[in-house]
Amino acid sequence: MFADRATIFIRSGKGGDGFVSFRREKYVPSGGPDGGDGGKGGDIIFQVDEGINTLIDYRHKRKYAAEDGRPGWKRRCHGANGEDLILKVPAGTVVMEAHSGKVIADLSGDNKRQVILKGGEGGNGNMHYATSTMQAPKYAQAGGAALELEVQLELKVIADVGLVGFPNVGKSTFLSRVSNARPKVADYPFTTLDPHLGVVNYEEMDGFVIADIPGLIEGASQGTGLGHEFLRHIERTRAIIHLVDAASIEGRDPVEDVYKINEELRLYNEEIAGRPQIIAANKIDALGPDADEVLRKLKQEFDPKGIPVYGISAVSGQGIKELLYAVKELLDMLPKERIVFEQEFFPDEELVVEDLPYKVECSEKEENTFIVEGPKIEKMLGYTNLDSEKGFAFFQNFLKEQGILKDLEDAGIQDGDTVRIYGFAFEYYK
């Protein structure tokens, strides 16, 4: 089964917490702090694997998480770093934020590997917080939070030329004749379901890559007949070969077919519809003496618009050489840079770690005493030295900005009452 789209949930590793510990040795009765740092959490990394060409694996498993960092330990032991999680994808995969559709990474060209979510940093152990006035700090820094994100993966094939047209106009036959691709060739009632890539190496011509985009139908731009599933594969192409059935075997007018398909391209993406095109009028061997008249009609309609027309037969090979040389000449005139989707969503900047909670309550054991505690407070204490004037000023400002002072007032605190925060005690004055 060919799968070119998947939605998955990814989570980087949380950083390990710093450790609180003190030296305890026989001849060192007052050893200093020796709590070690926590390990860094693992990253989520996407990497191109040239051996795969589908996203089918991500249809079966939807959640992926890197390993958390291990906490620090006594005697200055550093916690182990969490292992990175490497997710392998085919070349041409675009990683997008699932809800906004903004591009996070385009795994194509030179970009073979990209960190999507960084793991949390390990927290500092209490050995970092000893000062001349605070020689036995009883707190350490919590590890950095993990990042979580739902992403959409889309495989957009990498080709120089996109081959478009209605179903059954002969695209698969054409691709099998001009390249090394071997798509199934049959009279499908709607369309070939998988896009096929082929490398064209014709006589002395430099090679180029051509993609058989599954047959489009009217309404494809709105998703009819899996339209969006197929149209994304034309987004990277530099030029378009528009294949039409010159013999009108299924009763369609080839001129109208060109306009209808181009309208679907325009509705899907104006820029794609404006890329250079060449019309290949296929099945002229079935027209007999009427071939010249059909080609004259097509050229009369599209030559003035700068779209050249070539009569071909994908079955017999008639006109193939002239068409391929025209395509190669067109590609040589176009910029050779591959189309790359620029990053629009930056997880490190745009993902907000969930706000940590705290609680304010009256002590049941001590009169006129209020207790403030919770992960938010613990994390703040991990990087604040309350024994320094600057550190204590930062602490006071933190309580005000986070609304903790207001919560204390709402709880009924009065001047002179005591506030206890994880082993620290302060008198409150407004």
Side-chain angles (χ1 to χ4, degrees), residues 165-168 171-172 184 186-195 212-217 224-227 230:
F166 273 91
N168 296 327
K171 297 193 309 302
S172 296
K184 293 180 181 179
D187 183 19
Y188 295 104
F190 291 103
T191 177
T192 307
L193 292 180
D194 299 347
D212 169 15
I213 309 302
L216 302 179
I217 61 176
T224 303
L226 301 179
F230 299 149

Side-chain angles (χ1 to χ4, degrees), residues 1-6 53-61:
M1 176 183 176
F2 181 83
D4 57 5
R5 195 174 190 179
N53 60 5
T54 175
L55 297 171
I56 187 65
D57 290 345
Y58 298 101
R59 293 281 186 90
H60 302 304
K61 182 180 177 182

Side-chain angles (χ1 to χ4, degrees), residues 314-330:
V315 173
S316 70
Q318 181 181 348
I320 294 291
K321 178 179 179 180
E322 292 76 11
L323 172 65
L324 293 181
Y325 274 98
V327 172
K328 185 63 176 66
E329 186 177 342
L330 174 61

Side-chain angles (χ1 to χ4, degrees), residues 369-388:
T369 299
F370 294 78
I371 297 173
V372 179
E373 60 184 16
K376 180 190 287 286
I377 311 301
E378 280 190 291
K379 190 167 186 178
M380 180 276 298
L381 290 175
Y383 53 76
T384 307
N385 181 8
L386 300 184
D387 290 318
S388 72

Side-chain angles (χ1 to χ4, degrees), residues 345-373:
F345 186 93
F346 299 83
D348 290 346
E349 300 174 9
E350 301 189 48
L351 288 182
V352 178
V353 177
E354 184 178 358
D355 201 12
L356 298 174
Y358 67 89
K359 64 180 180 179
V360 174
E361 59 185 10
C362 297
S363 173
E364 297 179 355
K365 298 180 180 179
E366 298 178 78
E367 190 176 352
N368 302 324
T369 299
F370 294 78
I371 297 173
V372 179
E373 60 184 16

Side-chain angles (χ1 to χ4, degrees), residues 274-331:
R275 290 181 192 163
Q277 286 191 21
I278 291 178
I279 294 174
N282 192 24
K283 305 182 183 180
I284 59 170
D285 54 327
L287 284 170
D290 296 329
D292 290 341
E293 177 59 25
V294 173
L295 290 176
R296 186 195 63 78
K297 182 180 177 182
L298 284 165
K299 290 180 178 180
Q300 185 178 4
E301 184 70 27
F302 295 106
D303 278 350
K305 296 178 172 60
I307 305 176
V309 178
Y310 289 83
I312 68 165
S313 170
V315 173
S316 70
Q318 181 181 348
I320 294 291
K321 178 179 179 180
E322 292 76 11
L323 172 65
L324 293 181
Y325 274 98
V327 172
K328 185 63 176 66
E329 186 177 342
L330 174 61
L331 291 175

